[in-house]
Amino acid sequence: MEGSVPDKKTGKMRIHVASPFAVFFDEEAVSISGVNATGPFDVLPQHHNFITLVEACDLIIQTLAGTETRIKISGGVMHVKADTVRVFLNV
């Protein structure tokens, strides 16, 4: 998957959530929310580079269509760079 160029006009980012065996989400979206060791957090477009361990939670993705996608996870790693969010599960 190629990285996205930050889109300052529309406020969107590319989100990719996958395990070694399945892809759960791979689209542009408005935000993603999760939980790490310090508590709940949100990632929005133009977020600084960020990497964290994500705890068991529901990842909540706000889509461009205005809907909410929830993905129940048991943990993983999230990497944010240049309006691209990658969540690696079961690693």
Side-chain angles (χ1 to χ4, degrees):
M1 182 172 92
E2 294 186 28
S4 302
V5 174
D7 192 333
K8 295 178 182 167
K9 293 180 184 173
T10 59
K12 61 186 177 182
M13 57 192 173
R14 186 70 182 194
I15 298 178
H16 181 83
V17 179
S19 74
F21 308 105
V23 174
F24 299 97
F25 192 90
D26 189 15
E27 301 177 27
E28 290 184 327
V30 177
S31 70
I32 184 168
S33 302
V35 177
N36 64 14
T38 61
F41 66 90
D42 302 311
V43 176
L44 303 170
Q46 300 181 33
H47 196 285
H48 284 282
N49 294 347
F50 176 67
I51 190 164
T52 188
L53 294 174
V54 184
E55 296 187 349
C57 67
D58 283 350
L59 288 179
I60 303 170
I61 301 167
Q62 298 295 329
T63 69
L64 292 178
T67 61
E68 183 177 278
T69 298
R70 288 179 173 260
I71 303 168
K72 185 173 228 35
I73 66 166
S74 60
V77 177
M78 180 183 289
H79 179 251
V80 179
K81 184 176 180 184
D83 279 348
T84 300
V85 179
R86 290 184 177 93
V87 183
F88 305 99
L89 305 174
N90 302 324
V91 292

